[in-house]
Protein backbone atom coordinates (compact mmCIF):
# COMPACT_ATOMS: atom_id res chain seq x y z
CA UNK A 1 0.00 0.00 0.00
CA UNK A 2 1.26 3.49 -0.84
CA UNK A 3 -0.17 6.94 -0.20
CA UNK A 4 -0.18 10.18 -2.17
CA UNK A 5 1.44 11.87 0.81
CA UNK A 6 3.89 9.27 2.18
CA UNK A 7 3.52 8.52 5.84
CA UNK A 8 6.66 9.35 7.82
CA UNK A 9 8.23 7.11 10.44
CA UNK A 10 7.64 9.59 13.24
CA UNK A 11 4.01 10.08 12.24
CA UNK A 12 3.35 6.36 12.23
CA UNK A 13 5.05 5.83 15.59
CA UNK A 14 2.78 8.53 17.03
CA UNK A 15 -0.26 6.67 15.66
CA UNK A 16 0.98 3.40 17.12
CA UNK A 17 1.67 4.88 20.54
CA UNK A 18 -1.91 6.14 20.66
CA UNK A 19 -3.34 2.69 19.85
CA UNK A 20 -3.61 0.22 22.79
CA UNK A 21 -3.71 -2.71 20.34
CA UNK A 22 -0.01 -2.15 19.60
CA UNK A 23 2.13 -4.11 22.03
CA UNK A 24 5.46 -3.68 20.25
CA UNK A 25 7.38 -1.80 17.59
CA UNK A 26 10.64 -3.25 16.29
CA UNK A 27 13.05 -1.48 13.94
CA UNK A 28 15.26 -3.62 11.72
CA UNK A 29 17.66 -3.08 8.84
CA UNK A 30 20.32 -0.41 8.49
CA UNK A 31 18.68 1.88 11.05
CA UNK A 32 19.13 -0.82 13.66
CA UNK A 33 22.85 -1.13 12.80
CA UNK A 34 24.94 1.68 14.22
CA UNK A 35 26.99 3.39 11.53
CA UNK A 36 25.15 1.81 8.60
CA UNK A 37 22.58 4.54 7.90
CA UNK A 38 22.83 6.30 4.54
CA UNK A 39 20.73 8.88 2.75
CA UNK A 40 18.86 5.98 1.12
CA UNK A 41 18.00 4.16 4.35
CA UNK A 42 14.31 3.68 5.00
CA UNK A 43 12.65 2.61 8.25
CA UNK A 44 11.81 -1.10 8.35
CA UNK A 45 9.34 -1.50 11.17
CA UNK A 46 7.53 -4.49 12.65
CA UNK A 47 4.20 -3.52 14.19
CA UNK A 48 3.19 -6.13 16.76
CA UNK A 49 -0.49 -6.29 17.71
CA UNK A 50 -2.07 -7.99 20.68
CA UNK A 51 -3.60 -11.33 19.69
CA UNK A 52 -7.26 -10.90 18.87
CA UNK A 53 -7.10 -7.10 18.97
CA UNK A 54 -9.12 -4.96 16.59
CA UNK A 55 -7.38 -1.89 15.22
CA UNK A 56 -7.56 0.40 12.24
CA UNK A 57 -3.77 0.11 11.91
CA UNK A 58 -4.23 -3.10 9.94
CA UNK A 59 -4.94 -0.85 6.98
CA UNK A 60 -1.19 -0.30 6.82
CA UNK A 61 -0.49 -3.97 6.14
CA UNK A 62 1.92 -4.08 3.22
CA UNK A 63 2.70 -0.36 3.42
CA UNK A 64 5.93 0.28 1.52
CA UNK A 65 7.47 3.61 0.52
CA UNK A 66 11.03 4.92 0.25
CA UNK A 67 10.56 6.28 3.79
CA UNK A 68 8.75 3.50 5.59
CA UNK A 69 8.19 -0.26 5.23
CA UNK A 70 5.72 -1.82 7.66
CA UNK A 71 5.10 -5.42 8.65
CA UNK A 72 1.90 -5.61 10.69
CA UNK A 73 1.36 -8.89 12.53
CA UNK A 74 0.00 -10.40 15.72
CA UNK A 75 2.11 -11.23 18.74
CA UNK A 76 1.67 -14.94 18.04
CA UNK A 77 2.93 -14.50 14.47
CA UNK A 78 5.82 -12.36 15.70
CA UNK A 79 6.93 -15.13 18.06
CA UNK A 80 7.48 -17.38 15.04
CA UNK A 81 8.92 -14.81 12.66
CA UNK A 82 12.29 -15.76 11.18
CA UNK A 83 12.45 -19.28 12.65
CA UNK A 84 13.59 -20.44 10.22
CA UNK A 85 13.77 -17.91 7.46
CA UNK A 86 15.69 -15.07 5.89
CA UNK A 87 14.41 -12.66 8.58
CA UNK A 88 16.28 -14.51 11.33
CA UNK A 89 19.34 -12.28 11.16
CA UNK A 90 17.31 -9.09 10.71
CA UNK A 91 15.42 -9.82 13.91
CA UNK A 92 18.54 -10.94 15.75
CA UNK A 93 20.00 -7.45 15.39
CA UNK A 94 16.73 -5.49 15.43
CA UNK A 95 16.05 -2.70 17.92
CA UNK A 96 13.05 -2.47 20.22
CA UNK A 97 11.25 0.85 19.82
CA UNK A 98 8.19 0.02 21.93
CA UNK A 99 7.66 -2.91 24.31
CA UNK A 100 4.41 -2.88 26.27
CA UNK A 101 4.85 -6.46 27.49
CA UNK A 102 7.41 -5.95 30.26
CA UNK A 103 10.36 -6.93 28.07
CA UNK A 104 8.71 -9.80 26.18
CA UNK A 105 9.34 -8.20 22.78
CA UNK A 106 13.03 -7.89 23.64
CA UNK A 107 13.16 -11.51 24.83
CA UNK A 108 11.68 -12.70 21.54
CA UNK A 109 14.40 -10.81 19.66
CA UNK A 110 17.15 -12.20 21.86
CA UNK A 111 15.95 -15.72 21.06
CA UNK A 112 16.75 -15.00 17.41
CA UNK A 113 20.43 -14.38 18.13
CA UNK A 114 21.19 -18.03 18.98
CA UNK A 115 20.37 -21.22 17.10
CA UNK A 116 19.32 -24.21 19.15
CA UNK A 117 22.10 -26.76 19.66
CA UNK A 118 20.45 -29.46 17.55
CA UNK A 119 19.43 -26.97 14.86
CA UNK A 120 22.94 -25.54 14.67
CA UNK A 121 24.58 -28.97 14.46
CA UNK A 122 22.21 -30.11 11.72
CA UNK A 123 22.63 -26.90 9.75
CA UNK A 124 26.41 -26.94 10.11
CA UNK A 125 26.58 -30.48 8.72
CA UNK A 126 24.60 -29.47 5.66
CA UNK A 127 26.57 -26.29 5.04
CA UNK A 128 29.88 -28.13 5.47
CA UNK A 129 28.93 -30.66 2.81
CA UNK A 130 27.76 -27.90 0.46
CA UNK A 131 30.99 -25.97 1.05
CA UNK A 132 33.12 -29.04 0.34
CA UNK A 133 31.11 -29.74 -2.81
CA UNK A 134 31.65 -26.27 -4.27
CA UNK A 135 35.31 -26.22 -3.24
CA UNK A 136 35.90 -29.62 -4.84
CA UNK A 137 34.21 -28.54 -8.06
CA UNK A 138 36.22 -25.32 -8.15
CA UNK A 139 39.53 -27.10 -7.72
CA UNK A 140 38.64 -29.74 -10.33
CA UNK A 141 37.56 -27.11 -12.83
CA UNK A 142 40.79 -25.19 -12.28
CA UNK A 143 42.77 -28.38 -12.84
CA UNK A 144 40.88 -29.06 -16.06
CA UNK A 145 41.34 -25.55 -17.45
CA UNK A 146 37.76 -24.39 -16.85
CA UNK A 147 38.68 -20.99 -15.42
CA UNK A 148 35.23 -19.38 -15.36
CA UNK A 149 33.57 -22.44 -13.82
CA UNK A 150 36.34 -22.60 -11.21
CA UNK A 151 35.77 -18.98 -10.18
CA UNK A 152 32.00 -19.37 -10.06
CA UNK A 153 32.25 -22.48 -7.89
CA UNK A 154 34.73 -20.70 -5.63
CA UNK A 155 32.29 -17.81 -5.21
CA UNK A 156 29.51 -20.30 -4.41
CA UNK A 157 31.71 -21.93 -1.80
CA UNK A 158 32.09 -18.64 0.08
CA UNK A 159 28.35 -18.47 0.70
CA UNK A 160 28.28 -21.98 2.13
CA UNK A 161 31.44 -21.36 4.14
CA UNK A 162 29.97 -18.32 5.88
CA UNK A 163 26.74 -20.17 6.64
CA UNK A 164 28.85 -22.95 8.14
CA UNK A 165 31.03 -20.74 10.30
CA UNK A 166 28.10 -18.88 11.81
CA UNK A 167 26.18 -22.12 12.37
CA UNK A 168 29.20 -23.52 14.22
CA UNK A 169 28.87 -20.53 16.56
CA UNK A 170 25.09 -21.08 16.74
CA UNK A 171 24.35 -17.76 15.06
CA UNK A 172 22.35 -16.79 11.98
CA UNK A 173 24.57 -15.68 9.14
CA UNK A 174 24.37 -11.90 8.54
CA UNK A 175 23.35 -10.53 5.18
CA UNK A 176 26.38 -9.65 3.06
CA UNK A 177 25.75 -5.96 3.70
CA UNK A 178 26.27 -6.48 7.43
CA UNK A 179 29.04 -9.11 7.38
CA UNK A 180 31.87 -6.73 8.23
CA UNK A 181 29.67 -4.87 10.73
CA UNK A 182 28.79 -8.12 12.48
CA UNK A 183 32.31 -9.50 12.65
CA UNK A 184 33.75 -6.20 13.89
CA UNK A 185 31.39 -6.31 16.88
CA UNK A 186 30.85 -10.03 17.34
CA UNK A 187 33.89 -11.93 15.99
CA UNK A 188 33.70 -15.64 15.31
CA UNK A 189 35.58 -17.44 18.11
CA UNK A 190 38.97 -18.71 17.02
CA UNK A 191 39.01 -16.75 13.77
CA UNK A 192 41.04 -13.67 12.92
CA UNK A 193 38.41 -11.41 11.37
CA UNK A 194 40.75 -9.49 9.08
CA UNK A 195 42.38 -12.66 7.76
CA UNK A 196 39.04 -14.40 7.24
CA UNK A 197 37.54 -11.47 5.33
CA UNK A 198 40.68 -11.11 3.22
CA UNK A 199 40.57 -14.80 2.42
CA UNK A 200 36.93 -14.92 1.33
CA UNK A 201 37.39 -11.70 -0.63
CA UNK A 202 40.32 -13.18 -2.54
CA UNK A 203 38.56 -16.49 -3.16
CA UNK A 204 35.33 -14.87 -4.34
CA UNK A 205 37.21 -12.51 -6.65
CA UNK A 206 39.83 -14.81 -8.12
CA UNK A 207 39.02 -18.43 -7.24
CA UNK A 208 42.68 -18.89 -6.29
CA UNK A 209 43.11 -22.58 -5.53
CA UNK A 210 45.95 -22.21 -3.03
CA UNK A 211 43.87 -19.74 -1.01
CA UNK A 212 40.92 -22.14 -1.06
CA UNK A 213 43.04 -25.02 0.15
CA UNK A 214 44.61 -23.00 2.95
CA UNK A 215 41.22 -21.96 4.18
CA UNK A 216 39.83 -25.48 3.87
CA UNK A 217 42.61 -26.79 6.12
CA UNK A 218 41.44 -24.47 8.88
CA UNK A 219 37.77 -25.28 8.24
CA UNK A 220 38.48 -29.00 8.36
CA UNK A 221 40.20 -28.60 11.71
CA UNK A 222 37.38 -26.67 13.37
CA UNK A 223 34.67 -28.83 11.78
CA UNK A 224 36.19 -32.05 13.03
CA UNK A 225 36.59 -30.55 16.48
CA UNK A 226 32.88 -29.66 16.42
CA UNK A 227 31.92 -33.26 15.65
CA UNK A 228 31.43 -33.11 11.87
CA UNK A 229 34.20 -35.49 10.88
CA UNK A 230 31.79 -37.96 9.32
CA UNK A 231 30.67 -35.36 6.77
CA UNK A 232 34.27 -34.85 5.68
CA UNK A 233 35.21 -38.51 5.76
CA UNK A 234 32.36 -39.26 3.36
CA UNK A 235 34.40 -37.45 0.71
CA UNK A 236 37.04 -40.16 0.93
CA UNK A 237 40.05 -39.76 -1.34
CA UNK A 238 38.60 -36.60 -2.85
CA UNK A 239 39.69 -34.74 0.29
CA UNK A 240 43.25 -34.88 -1.02
CA UNK A 241 42.30 -32.51 -3.84
CA UNK A 242 40.92 -29.97 -1.38
CA UNK A 243 43.79 -29.99 1.10
CA UNK A 244 47.09 -28.13 0.80
CA UNK A 245 50.00 -30.29 -0.25
CA UNK A 246 52.03 -31.67 -3.08
CA UNK A 247 50.97 -33.89 -5.94
CA UNK A 248 47.67 -32.27 -6.88
CA UNK A 249 48.43 -32.39 -10.56
CA UNK A 250 48.72 -29.87 -13.35
CA UNK A 251 46.73 -26.68 -13.06
CA UNK A 252 46.34 -26.92 -9.30
Amino acid sequence: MTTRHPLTYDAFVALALADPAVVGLVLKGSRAHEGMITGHSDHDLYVVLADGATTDLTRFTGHRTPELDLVVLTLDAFRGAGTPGFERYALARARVVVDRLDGEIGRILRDRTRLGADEAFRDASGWLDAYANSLYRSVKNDRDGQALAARLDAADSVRFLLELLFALDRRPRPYNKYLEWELARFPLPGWDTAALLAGVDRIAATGEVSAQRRLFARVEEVSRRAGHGAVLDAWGEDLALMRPGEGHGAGS
Side-chain angles (χ1 to χ4, degrees):
M1 168 181 167
T2 58
T3 61
R4 293 181 63 183
H5 302 286
L7 180 66
T8 67
Y9 170 77
D10 290 337
F12 181 82
V13 169
L15 285 174
L17 289 174
D19 192 326
V22 176
V23 296
L25 294 176
V26 172
L27 187 66
K28 66 183 182 73
S30 57
R31 290 188 178 273
H33 288 72
E34 182 183 0
M36 294 296 291
I37 299 173
T38 73
H40 302 287
S41 298
D42 62 359
H43 293 80
D44 292 296
L45 193 67
Y46 270 83
V47 184
V48 186
L49 306 176
D51 293 325
T54 300
T55 172
D56 191 45
L57 291 183
T58 55
R59 74 186 190 276
F60 292 107
T61 299
H63 179 95
R64 183 180 178 87
T65 69
E67 159 73 9
L68 181 64
D69 288 354
L70 299 176
V71 177
V72 183
L73 73 178
T74 65
L75 176 62
D76 185 60
F78 183 65
R79 291 184 192 279
T83 54
F86 68 92
E87 284 286 86
R88 180 71 178 263
Y89 176 77
L91 289 168
R93 296 298 178 216
R95 178 166 66 84
V96 175
V97 178
V98 172
D99 188 340
R100 288 173 168 165
L101 298 176
D102 298 323
E104 179 63 15
I105 299 297
R107 285 190 288 273
I108 292 171
L109 293 182
R110 287 192 293 276
D111 285 345
R112 299 297 178 273
T113 65
R114 296 285 287 171
L115 305 179
D118 291 343
E119 176 189 12
F121 189 88
R122 181 180 64 252
D123 287 356
S125 290
W127 293 125
L128 175 58
D129 196 46
Y131 165 60
N133 185 284
S134 288
L135 168 61
Y136 178 69
R137 290 175 181 275
S138 177
V139 174
K140 276 207 313 177
N141 283 324
D142 178 82
R143 179 198 63 193
D144 297 339
Q146 300 291 331
L148 175 59
R151 290 196 302 274
L152 292 174
D153 285 323
D156 286 345
S157 78
V158 168
R159 175 204 166 195
F160 301 132
L161 168 66
L162 293 173
E163 295 279 7
L164 165 64
L165 296 185
F166 279 94
L168 288 173
D169 196 35
R170 293 180 55 186
R171 289 156 59 184
R173 176 198 163 178
Y175 308 141
N176 292 331
K177 177 179 180 178
Y178 302 121
L179 177 63
E180 292 177 278
W181 185 97
E182 179 77 13
L183 291 178
R185 291 158 178 80
F186 309 99
L188 290 166
W191 289 88
D192 179 284
T193 294
L196 175 61
L197 289 174
V200 298
D201 184 18
R202 186 174 187 84
I203 290 167
T206 69
E208 181 184 304
V209 169
S210 59
Q212 293 192 72
R213 284 176 172 150
R214 287 193 301 270
L215 187 53
F216 178 75
R218 175 78 173 117
V219 173
E220 180 173 11
E221 175 189 349
V222 299
S223 296
R224 288 187 182 281
R225 193 162 60 240
H228 299 286
V231 174
L232 293 164
D233 291 339
W235 282 87
E237 294 181 358
D238 290 334
L239 284 173
L241 198 63
M242 307 181 209
R243 292 167 170 158
E246 299 298 325
H248 292 297
S252 62

